[in-house]
Amino acid sequence: MFEKLSTAPPDPILGLTEAFKRDANPRKINLSVGVYQDASGKTPVLASVKAAEQRLLESEATKNYLSIEGLATYGAAVRELLFDREHEVVRSGRAATAQTPGGTGALRVAGELVRAIRPTAKVWLSDPTWPNHGGIFTAAGLEVATYPYYDAATQGLAIESLLSALEKAAAGDVVLLHACCHNPTGVDPTPEQWQRIAQTIERRGLLPLVDFAYQGFGDGLSEDAAGLRALCRPGGELLVCSSFSKNFGLYNERVGALTIVAESAAAAETALGHAKLRIRTNYSNPPAHGGAVVASVLADPTLRAQWEAEVATMRGRINAMRRLFVETLAAKGVKRDFSFLERQRGMFSFSGLTPQQVAALREQHALYIVGSGRINVAGMTEANMGPLCEAIAAVL
Ligand code: LMR
């Protein structure tokens, strides 16, 4: 069966970390995968997470299966973080949540749910987007299309082309939007642009699917949810795939959620039942630990305050690195204006480096960034800033 197989291509993001690990160069720098590092280059376990884990270790009484949709307390905490406790979507009960293995698990379940209910729906992805998006929805059996997103000339959002593309989507198609900290560009719609996108989606009868993986890394936990909340319409349907990999640093615990917003509480419950059918044949029910940690932290006022402060620290360090990156590039003699990097939000900088320059960075300087020119700012430190900016200056 496997004898004549040709080699599978490496993953465009995780494959780079595999190559990085094999690289013997002692000066190597990995700015590919979106993982936060502190000033000393470590990816720490948050103190709020450690405290919750200690409590769980003492109080956990069973390793019995969770239900197919996961912990109810986790689902409620997710919805309140996404929409706010007082939001109509939460108070009406017309949102239902399934705990999933990471945001990727949520996206796959969402894809399979759409495929089961509306098999002819196309999923519209931003150009560019996270490289895994296309693979996930294709694997779920859906057709994928793209809408323009990034305007290289202005280093901003191509809002008019984006809206014209949505005008061409068929009613019932799915539009995937990044709630904040767009991956890979770091360019997000303004509040006015969110309104225009929301109005077009509503008028065209499209289904918004919001990928929310970086809540708190842009401008703040609540501020980063403004786009999602702008998409909420009375009785309007919506899917949200969220993740706690980044803002809780729970990468390897695989903690995510699919939240289904339906016209009514009864419709949400029914839709969740169909999502549960997809889950059962995929991974049966979710892993418990990460969800229990998140639910414990969010339910405890002291731990929650500690976590919010830790998110603010991560956000502040990323923004400080953005500024230092732009300053250091200039100090190393780079003439091109990179000040637009300071306007981008979240973990990533979309540098504008070409695939040839990205390859040269890796081959000649052992600096690993994603082929699109995406650089993980959250992996920059004061210690690696000099060498990395020198390498970029050299390939430019
Ligand atoms: C990224 O874009 O680097 C992260 O979302 C990690 C991943 O799974 O690709």
Side-chain angles (χ1 to χ4, degrees):
M1 185 168 171
F2 308 122
E3 200 79 343
K4 296 208 164 59
L5 271 181
S6 52
T7 309
D11 181 79
I13 295 177
L14 300 184
L16 286 172
T17 295
E18 290 166 16
F20 175 82
K21 286 183 181 155
R22 290 192 299 268
D23 193 329
N25 188 332
R27 296 202 311 274
K28 62 185 179 178
I29 301 174
N30 186 9
L31 298 180
S32 56
V33 67
V35 170
Y36 177 82
Q37 292 177 18
D38 64 16
S40 65
K42 301 253 168 13
T43 302
V45 181
L46 300 188
S48 52
V49 166
K50 270 277 181 222
E53 285 183 315
Q54 257 147 18
R55 289 187 198 173
L56 285 171
L57 193 62
E58 278 155 30
S59 63
E60 192 176 53
T62 180
K63 294 282 185 191
N64 199 349
Y65 292 122
L66 295 187
S67 60
I68 296 176
E69 74 269 39
L71 281 173
T73 49
Y74 173 83
V78 166
R79 291 190 294 277
E80 287 181 14
L81 200 60
L82 295 177
F83 299 104
D84 194 80
R85 182 173 303 192
E86 295 309 318
H87 196 284
E88 174 273 325
V89 157
V90 175
R91 278 194 295 108
S92 63
R94 65 183 188 94
T97 303
Q99 179 182 339
T100 57
T104 303
L107 288 161
R108 179 63 188 257
V109 175
E112 292 201 6
L113 180 66
V114 171
R115 170 84 173 86
I117 300 170
R118 193 178 281 153
T120 56
K122 254 190 213 162
V123 182
W124 292 79
L125 305 175
S126 64
D127 178 19
T129 193
W130 182 47
N132 211 18
H133 276 149
I136 291 170
F137 293 106
T138 307
L142 290 164
E143 198 184 326
V144 169
T146 58
Y147 60 84
Y149 189 84
Y150 183 69
D151 182 350
T154 62
Q155 286 118 2
L157 184 66
I159 182 69
E160 301 305 333
S161 322
L162 181 160
L163 293 173
S164 323
L166 296 190
E167 293 292 348
K168 293 188 202 104
D173 277 357
V174 176
V175 183
L176 189 146
L177 296 151
H178 303 222
C180 70
C181 308
H182 182 268
N183 180 1
T185 67
V187 173
D188 293 329
T190 61
E192 295 70 35
Q193 289 169 336
W194 272 118
Q195 286 304 337
R196 293 182 69 193
I197 293 169
Q199 281 156 9
T200 307
I201 283 178
E202 185 183 22
R203 184 166 45 72
R204 301 281 307 126
L206 308 173
L207 176 69
L209 189 164
V210 179
D211 187 343
F212 206 173
Y214 299 93
Q215 188 169 8
F217 276 60
D219 294 311
L221 286 163
S222 175
E223 292 83 343
D224 291 351
L228 168 66
R229 294 172 192 174
L231 291 167
C232 295
R233 291 285 187 267
E237 296 179 345
L238 183 65
L239 295 174
V240 190
C241 298
S242 54
S243 164
F244 292 113
S245 293
K246 323 283 172 167
N247 57 11
F248 267 83
L250 283 168
Y251 305 90
N252 66 12
E253 298 294 355
R254 313 306 300 135
V255 204
L258 167 63
T259 297
I260 305 170
V261 179
E263 194 180 355
S264 63
E269 204 48 43
T270 305
L272 181 68
H274 286 266
K276 285 163 66 174
L277 294 178
R278 314 328 325 158
I279 290 169
R280 179 67 172 138
T281 52
N282 258 301
Y283 53 88
S284 193
N285 47 72
H289 181 71
V293 169
V294 169
S296 310
V297 171
L298 294 179
D300 180 290
T302 309
L303 289 186
R304 187 183 178 120
Q306 186 179 18
W307 169 69
E308 288 188 9
E310 291 184 293
V311 174
T313 300
M314 291 193 278
R315 180 172 65 244
R317 203 192 82 76
I318 293 172
N319 287 336
M321 287 302 106
R322 254 180 212 292
R323 280 191 296 278
L324 189 61
F325 184 40
V326 173
E327 283 165 20
T328 312
L329 283 173
K332 298 288 177 194
V334 171
K335 294 278 172 288
R336 194 191 292 178
D337 178 14
F338 275 108
S339 57
F340 65 91
L341 300 182
E342 282 191 69
R343 294 195 296 276
Q344 299 172 347
R345 280 283 167 276
M347 277 193 160
F348 304 117
S349 259
F350 205 51
S351 62
L353 293 169
T354 64
Q356 292 75 16
Q357 288 163 338
V358 171
L361 283 173
R362 175 171 161 185
E363 282 151 24
Q364 294 159 24
H365 303 273
L367 172 57
Y368 288 71
I369 67 171
V370 175
S372 61
R374 187 195 85 168
I375 300 179
N376 176 26
V377 185
M380 294 179 186
T381 61
E382 289 192 13
N384 68 22
M385 192 63 81
L388 93 87
C389 289
E390 278 160 26
I392 293 174
V395 302
L396 282 172

